[in-house]
Each structure stands twice: as structure tokens, then as C-alpha cells.
Amino acid sequence: MHSRILTAAAMAVLTLASPVRAHEGHDHGTPPPVVSAQTAPRAEAQSALFEFVAVARGPLLEIHLDHFETNEPIVGATVDIETPDGPVTATAEGDVYRLAAPWAEQPGTYDLIATVASDGAIDFLTATLVIPEAPAPVVAGNSGWLVGAALATEMREALTVELTDRLSRNDPAILAVGALGFALGILAMAVFRRRVFVAAGTAAVLVVLFAGSIAVAQETAAPVVGVRDLAQRLPDGSVFVPKPSQRILAIRTLMTAAAEHRRSVEMPGRIIPDPNASGFVQASIAGRLSSPPGGFPRLGAKVRAGDVLAFVTSPIQTIDQSDLRQRRSELDQAISIAEQRVRRSETLVKSGTVAQTTLDETRIELEGLRERRVAIEQVQVKPEPLVAPVSGVIAASNAIAGQMAESNAVVFHIVDPDRLWVEALAYGGAGAFRAASADLGDGRSLSLTFEGAGFAGASPALPVHFRVQGETTGLRPGQMLTVLGQTEEVQAGIALPRTSVLRGPNGQDIVFVHSGAERFEPKEVRVQPLDGERVLVAAGIEAGSRVVTEGAELLNQIR
């Protein structure tokens, strides 16, 4: 008898100690995913010109206005709205418009008609704002000590779900109830020994457990969720981004359109100097290097064509020096003899004994001997100057004072940094290219002009030369890049900036489509290279879609 009483009491206490959530239809299946934050009531409308979002913030209506195609905020527009209280003109505060809306504090459905005027364009937009009823508070399912049979069955089912959920979260309330149940078991064992204290002990335990159930019910009451507009990824994979967050992330879009584009060929390439604006400074003879007045030019120094950059002094061996001394002595003797013959011929010419032609020939012979003598002297003391063949900057230098330079050794390399070319390797044949561009890998792109292509070579790749147009700051010969050349072949598709295409979790290329004012959907696409800044979408999206061109990487990071 006493054991049955204790068992019933324990079941009642456990029922009381576990508050049950209110539910409809007795559905105890898997609950829907919990939204990380509750969003404020909002309404949106779109037209060919504008995108309109109205958010209810208590007694105020916050309005965000953007260009429909680009998602760029509109500043300085005039926004007149027909509200339940009559027409109201919104006040501009930067890129946000606000107006008083005391009617928005009452639940209901409200139709809004907005007239927007910006930069001479006027459009009308209609939207419906729904203010939901305030959620009912969650009440613990504890109505008394006596529970009917049907209600007890339902409560046991709810208790099972509740206990499973709380045990998975290590709920302190459940741990406390377990400890009290253990104490109740000890009390039940003591019943058989001392029946006198059964009623008193049971009553005490029930009072304690009842008080604990009330405390647990109060602690586990559903908290009030604040209204916060946070960017979040939805269960279907799309991303919800409120307009204020779009402003911070600088989200921009592009209205896609199908068109025909020239097929592009992607080629590896490197920067080379213009053959007509670069040159090597080489020594024609082997000798010792010496610097000109002012020293050797440093790397990056500007030089002009004809500037002397270094000297090469040819070394003379001992045997060569002996031969030079012998030849110098022979020339000195021949010069002395020729001078005497000139003087004698001048005397004879005056007397008429020798003709004038004989004197002239002797003088010519004397001048030749003197020139040969001077040449021998210069061989010993005059070095060879190394002169810049073109104007530019010193790109490479191998000059060191006292260094022995071999014949044909490259001492300096001069390059004009404003005149650079690109040499690419075309596989599968090379032809003429209508236009070309190059991707440097750091976000920059170069515009190229086709100069020519090779038609013979031992390798399967043929060289193709392009001239760099425009600014060349930061480029250097030998720098690797990717060249995209447009051929004569035409392809149809949608052109998008390369920044629009991201890598999805499964490795597939994706783009984000602006499907709603505050909703972005990832779409898998197949792309092909088009030029240095764009890609060609062959499949995945249709013309007329708004694709994110700026901020797509930030959208992909939202979880």
C-alpha cells in the first residue's frame, strides 16, 4: 500500500518538476531550425528604376532606396508615401529615409504607395507591410496535483521529449530532480523499517520537489527574443542580408545580358623589353674594366644613347711589349730618315734639281710613319670606351673596377621602362589576335596590342609578341603573367567580372544572384575565360539576372 502511494507520488512529482511546452496537434517530431535572430517587420517593392525596402522600427518607418540594377544607394531623393494616416514625406538622413508611423505599432496589414523622385526620374512603388501579433508567453504545463488519464498520457509523451532534450543539454534542473528522486528512493527503502515516518517523509519530499518544480518552471520560461536584423544564411542556402549590412559590405550588382563575344585563348607569358628600345653593352676585346669619371652607373640609373659607361683596358704581355718597343724604334729611325729626305728635297726643289712631286711624296711618307708611331703609343695607354647604344635605365650591371672582362661579355643591360612587350606561348598554332589583355595575378590587367607571331620552332608552342599599352609602372622584364588573346571565333554568352565568380564548397564555380531586395541566392555556373577582367558564363544563369559584382566574397563568408 505504502509503496504504491510512493510510486504515484514520485510520478506526480516528476511530472510537476518538468514543465511542458504548449504545442498544437500533438506533433512531437523534429522541430524546425531555429532562426538566429528575429527580423523586424518589413515590406519591399521593385521597379525598373528603384528598389524599395521599408522596415518598421516601433513608431518609425525606416526606408532604404537603391538603384535596381546596381544596388547603389540613392541619396537626396524625394520619397512621398501614402500611409493609413495619409500622405507623408520621408526625411532623408544620409542614405536612409525615415517617417513617423504610429500606426505600425498595431498588428495588421498595411498597404503603402510610395512616389520616388530622383535625378529627374519618377516612379511609383506599392508594398504591403504586415505587423504580426505579439507572440504569446510560454507557460509551463502544471495545472494541479490531480491529472486525468488522457492528460497524463499526453504529459508523459511531452515529458519524454522534454527529458531527452534537457539531458542532451545537461540541464541543471534535471540533475536536481534526479538527486531528489534518489533521495526519494532512499526514503522508500526506509518505509519497510519505520512505517511511522512514511507520511511525514513523503510530505516533506513532495513539498521540496514542488518548490523545485516552480523554480525550474520560472528559470526555463522562454526568454524574450529581441528584434535584430542580422545577416544570416538560410536553410535553403540563400543569404539574408539587411539593407544596412549591404551598405557596409558595399554590395553592387549587374544586370546580365546575352551577347556575342570573341573567343579568347589563355596563354602563359612573360614581360620582355622592346627590341627597339633596349640593348646590351659588351666589350669587343678582353681587358680590365675601369670606371669613367663619376663611377659606374648604378642599377636603375637613367642613361642616354652615347654616354660612356665604362672603359676596357687591354693587357699587354711581355713579349708583346718587346715587339712594340722594337717596332717603335724602327719607326723612329724611319721617321728620322724621312725628315732628312724632306729637308734635302726642299733644298733641291728650290734649286730646280728635284721636281715638286718628289717632295710631296716624301712628306706623305713622313706623315704615315708618324701616324703609325702614334697608334703604337695609343695601344699601350688608351682603353676602349663602352658606350650606351640606346636611352633607358640600367636593368643589369656586371661592372666591377679591376674586373677582367672577356670578349663579348655583357657588362650592362639597358631597358626603356616605358616601352615593354609581352612574349606569350601559343599552343596548337598561332594566328592573328584582334585584341589581347594580360592578368598580372594581383588584380591588375594590361591592355596589349598584337605585334607578331612565330611560324616555326622546335617546341609545340610558338611565340607571340604583344606591345604593352598605357601605364607600365611596376612592371619588370621577366615577370610572369597570363595572356588572354581574342581570336576571330565568336561565342555567345553572358560576360561577368572575374570578381563575381567564387569557388563553392564542392569546388564548383558559383555566383550570387540578387533574387530579392535582401536575399541573395548562390547559383552554380560554368565559365570560360574572356579577357583579363571578365569571364564568359556558358551555363547556370539567364539573361536579366542581377548578379553580385562587388562584395560577393563577403557574402560567401556569411554563415
Side-chain angles (χ1 to χ4, degrees):
M1 180 64 180
H2 294 285
S3 61
R4 289 196 297 270
I5 295 176
L6 288 176
T7 303
M11 291 298 297
V13 169
L14 290 178
T15 303
L16 293 172
S18 301
V20 181
R21 294 186 178 89
H23 53 282
E24 295 291 340
H26 311 293
D27 185 8
H28 302 286
T30 303
V34 180
V35 181
S36 61
Q38 183 179 357
T39 58
R42 58 215 317 114
E44 64 180 60
Q46 298 171 344
S47 69
L49 299 177
F50 307 115
E51 188 170 60
F52 173 91
V53 176
V55 183
R57 307 286 188 190
L60 294 177
L61 201 62
E62 183 179 280
I63 299 171
H64 302 275
L65 193 63
D66 298 333
H67 290 284
F68 178 74
E69 293 188 358
T70 64
N71 200 49
E72 184 178 357
I74 299 177
V75 180
T78 301
V79 181
D80 297 325
I81 299 181
E82 187 70 28
T83 69
D85 291 345
V88 181
T89 300
T91 302
E93 299 178 7
D95 56 1
V96 179
Y97 303 84
R98 291 184 173 88
L99 57 84
W103 45 266
E105 294 184 309
Q106 300 298 325
T109 301
Y110 304 98
D111 294 329
L112 305 177
I113 302 177
T115 304
V116 180
S118 176
D119 296 333
I122 300 177
D123 208 344
F124 301 93
L125 301 99
T126 59
T128 301
L129 178 64
V130 178
I131 307 297
E133 295 283 347
V138 178
V139 181
N142 230 358
S143 59
W145 290 87
L146 300 179
V147 183
L151 183 58
T153 302
E154 181 181 352
M155 293 180 65
R156 281 198 301 271
E157 295 177 358
L159 176 61
T160 302
V161 177
E162 184 72 16
L163 287 176
T164 303
D165 178 66
R166 292 195 177 189
L167 287 175
S168 64
R169 296 186 283 108
N170 294 328
D171 195 336
I174 291 298
L175 298 179
V177 171
L180 292 176
F182 179 74
L184 183 61
I186 296 177
L187 179 61
M189 293 177 62
V191 167
F192 297 97
R193 296 184 180 181
R194 297 184 180 180
R195 300 175 179 272
V196 178
F197 300 100
V198 170
T202 302
V205 171
L206 293 179
V207 170
V208 173
L209 292 182
F210 182 69
S213 67
I214 295 176
V216 170
Q218 292 177 351
E219 292 177 359
T220 58
V224 178
V225 180
V227 175
R228 296 183 300 164
D229 291 345
L230 296 180
Q232 54 189 301
R233 190 174 291 269
L234 303 179
D236 62 353
S238 61
V239 180
F240 170 77
V241 184
K243 280 298 181 180
S245 298
Q246 295 183 34
R247 303 285 198 270
I248 296 175
L249 300 180
I251 305 298
R252 296 294 180 267
T253 60
L254 172 70
M255 184 67 70
T256 59
E260 292 186 348
H261 306 274
R262 298 287 178 180
R263 188 181 73 87
S264 296
V265 177
E266 186 171 338
M267 301 172 286
R270 63 186 180 93
I271 296 178
I272 61 173
D274 186 343
N276 298 319
S278 64
F280 293 106
V281 178
Q282 296 177 281
S284 60
I285 60 174
R288 192 178 303 277
L289 292 177
S290 59
S291 62
F296 295 115
R298 67 184 186 278
L299 288 175
K302 294 182 178 181
V303 296
R304 300 182 64 84
D307 292 348
V308 177
L309 308 181
F311 291 100
V312 179
T313 303
S314 177
I316 301 177
Q317 303 294 332
T318 302
I319 186 172
D320 295 333
Q321 292 180 358
S322 177
D323 292 342
L324 289 175
R325 284 195 296 269
Q326 182 179 354
R327 293 180 61 187
R328 187 169 59 248
S329 298
E330 293 175 355
L331 288 174
D332 289 340
Q333 294 177 2
I335 290 173
S336 299
I337 295 173
E339 289 177 346
Q340 292 178 0
R341 290 175 56 190
V342 168
R343 287 194 294 270
R344 185 168 58 253
S345 296
E346 289 177 349
T347 303
L348 296 176
V349 167
K350 292 180 179 179
S351 62
T353 306
V354 178
Q356 182 66 32
T357 57
T358 303
L359 177 60
D360 295 338
E361 292 176 355
T362 304
R363 288 177 175 174
I364 293 173
E365 182 181 358
L366 176 60
E367 290 297 327
L369 292 172
R370 288 176 177 175
E371 290 179 358
R372 291 174 59 188
R373 182 65 172 77
V374 172
I376 292 177
E377 290 292 340
Q378 290 180 348
V379 168
Q380 290 183 333
V381 298
K382 187 176 181 180
E384 177 190 8
L386 300 182
V387 181
V390 295
S391 299
V393 299
I394 302 297
S397 174
N398 299 315
I400 300 177
Q403 177 184 1
M404 293 298 296
E406 298 293 335
S407 177
N408 297 327
V410 177
V411 181
F412 297 100
H413 184 199
I414 302 175
V415 173
D416 187 348
D418 296 329
R419 299 174 61 181
L420 297 176
W421 282 22
V422 171
E423 182 181 59
L425 297 178
Y427 292 86
F433 293 89
R434 294 177 57 90
S437 60
D439 183 11
L440 297 176
D442 57 358
R444 292 188 300 164
S445 120
L446 301 177
S447 178
L448 307 178
T449 300
F450 176 72
E451 291 291 338
F455 292 94
S459 65
L462 298 180
V464 183
H465 284 176
F466 300 91
R467 177 168 47 87
V468 178
Q469 294 182 339
E471 185 65 32
T472 59
T473 303
L475 303 180
R476 56 177 179 80
Q479 184 175 353
M480 305 302 296
L481 41 75
T482 301
V483 178
L484 295 172
Q486 292 185 3
T487 63
E488 297 293 337
E489 184 179 348
V490 177
Q491 288 180 322
I494 298 173
L496 290 178
R498 287 179 173 265
T499 54
S500 299
V501 183
L502 307 174
R503 188 71 65 183
N506 59 352
Q508 179 70 29
D509 292 330
I510 64 171
V511 297
F512 277 94
V513 176
H514 196 184
S515 58
E518 298 177 315
R519 186 183 179 92
F520 300 86
E521 296 182 9
K523 297 288 186 180
E524 294 185 354
V525 293
R526 186 175 78 251
V527 299
Q528 299 174 358
L530 184 58
D531 53 38
E533 297 180 352
R534 300 179 301 167
V535 295
L536 186 68
V537 179
I541 59 174
E542 299 178 353
S545 302
R546 289 188 297 167
V547 176
V548 177
T549 58
E550 298 181 21
E553 183 65 30
L554 299 176
L555 286 178
N556 200 30
Q557 297 177 9
I558 296 177
R559 295 294 181 265

